[in-house]
Amino acid sequence: MEKQDVKDVISDSKFLSLLRNAKERDSEAIVQLIELFRKDIKRLSKFIYLPDEEAESEIVLEFLEFVLNEETE
């Protein structure tokens, strides 16, 4: 089980780089961020009273709004 989760771990510097690039509207960085959190999004969508695909879309939308609008320090 741990080996499966290891591939989803990235360094802090890589994560910050993805965030910076996503804020600059780099579509590849945005896709990588979504994929990085895909398992969490799927798991969380089970707690929303919507069809799974719609719940996942709502989570992704909120996540992207947060990433694109949040000020970085």
Side-chain angles (χ1 to χ4, degrees):
M1 179 101 165
E2 286 181 24
K3 288 183 181 180
Q4 182 180 3
D5 292 337
V6 171
K7 68 180 179 180
D8 294 337
V9 175
I10 63 171
S11 68
D12 290 344
S13 61
K14 174 68 174 170
F15 181 71
L16 290 174
S17 175
L18 281 175
L19 280 177
R20 276 191 296 273
N21 292 341
K23 284 186 170 295
E24 295 173 359
R25 307 291 200 256
D26 177 354
S27 59
E28 183 64 33
I30 292 170
V31 169
Q32 287 179 4
L33 278 175
I34 293 170
E35 286 303 314
L36 183 64
F37 291 100
R38 177 64 61 194
K39 287 181 187 176
D40 295 316
I41 291 168
K42 285 189 171 291
R43 184 177 49 82
L44 290 172
S45 71
K46 304 297 181 197
F47 298 102
I48 298 175
Y49 296 110
L50 292 171
D52 288 347
E53 289 180 5
E54 192 172 338
E56 289 175 30
S57 294
E58 288 293 323
I59 293 169
V60 169
L61 178 63
E62 291 291 328
F63 175 70
L64 290 177
E65 286 178 355
F66 176 78
V67 167
L68 297 176
N69 295 324
E70 186 67 22
E71 293 294 322
T72 55
E73 297 180 19

